[in-house]
Amino acid sequence: MIGIVIPAHNEAEHIGATLAAVTQAATHPALNCEPVRVMVVLDSCDDATGAIVETYGAAHDVTTLPLSVRNVGMARAAGASRMMEDGARWLAFTDADTIVSPDWLVKQLAQEADAVCGSIGIDDWSAHGAHSEFIRDHFARTYTDADGHRHIHGANLGVSAEAYRRVGGFRPLACSEDVALVEALQAAGARIAWSAAPRVSTSARRNARARGGFGDTLMAVIAAGMSAVDAPMTGGNGPLMSA
C-alpha cells in the first residue's frame, strides 16, 4: 500500500484542487492497482478545509486526522505513523496548495530509491502583483529544475516506510522538517534520488503557512529587491531549499 500525507492549516482555497490531483495520481494504471490511501492532517483548521475534505473524501476514500499543534513536522509525522500502521510501504508527501501530476507516484517509485526529493514548478506568480515578473525571472535563473538538483520540498517528497522508520521520521519542527528528514536519511546512508521526474506545481502565495519556508523565501527575495537578482533561491539551509 502507498500512503499520501497532506498537512493542512486553513487551506479551503486550495485543498479541493490538491485532492483532485492526488486522487487522480492514486489511480494511475502503471501502479497496477496497488492500493493508495490519502490522508489530510487537519492542523488547527478553523475555516472550511475540514468540511471540504470530508465531502470530497466520502466519494474518494480520503481520510482526515485532526490535530491542534500548529506544527508541520508533527502533522507530517502523525499522518505517516497512521499510514504505516495501516501497512504503507511507501510514503508520499505533498502540500495542500500543490497540484501533483497524474504520474507523480509512478515517477517516484520508478527511481528505485529509499527516498525521492522532487523539484517544484510554479504556474501562477500573480499573487506578487507588481513584483510578479521580477520574482518569476529570479526563480527561473536561480532554481535548478533538473535531475541532480539539491532542493528539498515537503510538497514533493517520497520515502520508503523502512527508511523512514530507520531514521525516526519527521522531527517536531515548525519549519524545515523536510530538510531534517533528508539530512537524517543521508547520514544513515539511504539511497536518495534528486529527481525532476515527479512533477508538482505549487502556489507562490504571499501568506505563507510555515514561517521560514518557501513562501517566506520568495518574500525575502522581493524585499531584497534588485540586489538579490543573482542570489540563489534558498531557504535557511543553503541549496537545500525547504517548501
Side-chain angles (χ1 to χ4, degrees):
M1 189 264 280
I2 298 168
I4 300 176
V5 177
I6 307 169
H9 170 69
N10 290 348
E11 293 286 5
E13 180 181 357
H14 300 284
I15 193 64
T18 296
L19 290 176
V22 297
T23 52
Q24 182 180 11
T27 57
H28 195 286
L31 293 175
N32 297 316
C33 297
E34 179 171 3
V36 179
R37 296 184 183 174
V38 181
M39 173 174 287
V40 179
V41 183
L42 301 168
D43 186 4
S44 308
C45 293
D46 56 16
D47 67 349
T49 302
I52 293 170
V53 176
E54 288 178 7
T55 298
Y56 187 92
H60 297 88
D61 196 25
V62 175
T63 61
T64 61
L65 177 62
L67 295 178
S68 296
V69 294
R70 198 64 180 91
N71 183 290
V72 68
M74 295 175 70
R76 290 195 202 277
S81 293
R82 186 67 60 85
M83 286 297 187
M84 290 188 297
E85 288 172 5
D86 291 343
R89 69 175 182 93
W90 183 261
L91 302 169
F93 299 91
T94 191
D95 288 340
D97 64 340
T98 299
I99 306 299
V100 305
S101 65
D103 62 356
W104 177 60
L105 292 173
V106 174
K107 294 296 187 181
Q108 282 193 359
L109 295 172
Q111 304 306 310
E112 297 184 347
D114 295 316
V116 179
C117 295
S119 56
I120 60 169
I122 295 175
D123 296 329
D124 183 6
W125 295 95
S126 61
H128 293 278
H131 300 293
S132 296
E133 185 175 353
F134 167 75
I135 193 65
R136 181 198 65 206
D137 292 346
H138 180 86
F139 183 85
R141 280 193 304 273
T142 62
Y143 185 80
T144 302
D145 188 2
D147 289 348
H149 68 82
R150 285 297 185 270
H151 304 300
I152 299 173
H153 303 283
N156 193 0
L157 180 64
V159 59
S160 72
E162 180 182 355
Y164 182 90
R165 287 192 185 97
R166 190 161 59 240
V167 300
F170 285 106
R171 292 168 56 193
L173 301 174
C175 179
S176 297
E177 79 295 338
D178 42 8
V179 174
L181 176 66
V182 174
E183 288 178 342
L185 288 166
Q186 288 178 301
R191 293 169 297 128
I192 298 176
W194 304 89
S195 177
R199 304 301 303 172
V200 309
S201 175
T202 197
S203 76
R205 62 187 176 194
R206 297 166 58 90
N207 56 332
R209 296 297 188 267
R211 297 272 66 91
F214 181 62
D216 276 359
T217 299
L218 295 179
M219 296 305 296
V221 169
I222 291 172
M226 297 307 294
S227 65
V229 167
D230 295 320
M233 292 289 291
T234 65
N237 298 274
L240 299 176
M241 186 172 71
S242 172

